[in-house]
């Protein structure tokens, strides 16, 4: 699998309550999206970003990072071939991403995702 970008997913109780710290203090002032349960904030100068997550809308567990890839199908097949636990099967979500969740041997859950740009 080839990761083209990795985004940290920070668990927060309330996105709106947490937003000002990340936007004002850290300078991640561009809100790329906000779906109520997940929002991404990015620095307009550097492009660094973070996602704030209250709880995943379609998965039983939350992922600690989102790994963006160009070929999510191949990544899914590779994860299965290597015997990694699939936490959320390969799915096309209503908001347009194609993704799956896999558990790393250390126990962390990763969101492997393809965004149609």
């Amino acid at each position: 699998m080839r990761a083209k970008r990795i985004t940290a997913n920070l668990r927060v109780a309330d996105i709106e309550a947490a937003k000002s710290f990340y936007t004002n203090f850290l300078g991640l002032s561009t809100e790329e999206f906000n779906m109520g349960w997940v929002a991404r904030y990015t620095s307009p100068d550097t492009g660094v970003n973070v996602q704030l997550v209250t709880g995943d809308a379609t998965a039983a567990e939350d992922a600690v990072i989102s790994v963006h890839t160009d070929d999510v199908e191949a990544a899914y097949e590779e994860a299965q071939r290597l015997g990694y636990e699939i936490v959320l099967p390969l799915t096309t979500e209503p908001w347009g991403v194609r993704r799956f969740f896999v558990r790393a041997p250390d126990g962390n859950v990763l969101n492997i995702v393809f965004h149609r740009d």
Side-chain angles (χ1 to χ4, degrees):
M1 188 190 94
R2 181 181 162 270
K4 68 178 198 177
R5 179 178 58 167
I6 297 176
T7 303
N9 296 328
L10 298 181
R11 182 95 159 116
V12 298
D14 182 313
I15 289 174
E16 288 306 311
K19 178 180 175 177
S20 68
F21 176 83
Y22 295 95
T23 58
N24 295 335
F25 181 65
L26 295 185
L28 307 179
S29 58
T30 301
E31 184 176 77
E32 289 188 47
F33 64 84
N34 186 335
M35 298 172 60
W37 61 272
V38 60
R40 182 182 308 142
Y41 299 98
T42 301
S43 166
D45 300 323
T46 65
V48 298
N49 61 35
V50 68
Q51 288 182 166
L52 306 181
V53 181
T54 60
D56 197 283
T58 62
E61 294 188 51
D62 293 328
V64 295
I65 61 174
S66 292
V67 180
H68 305 261
T69 184
D70 287 331
D71 194 345
V72 72
E73 284 82 7
Y76 185 71
E77 290 173 12
E78 183 177 3
Q80 289 181 309
R81 182 179 56 77
L82 294 171
Y84 296 131
E85 178 188 352
I86 302 300
V87 177
L88 175 74
L90 188 59
T91 305
T92 301
E93 300 290 4
W95 54 93
V97 301
R98 188 144 169 82
R99 69 182 185 155
F100 70 96
F101 283 14
V102 61
R103 189 177 314 278
D106 59 22
N108 286 309
V109 175
L110 285 65
N111 174 25
I112 311 299
V113 62
F114 171 73
H115 284 263
R116 289 179 179 83
D117 295 327

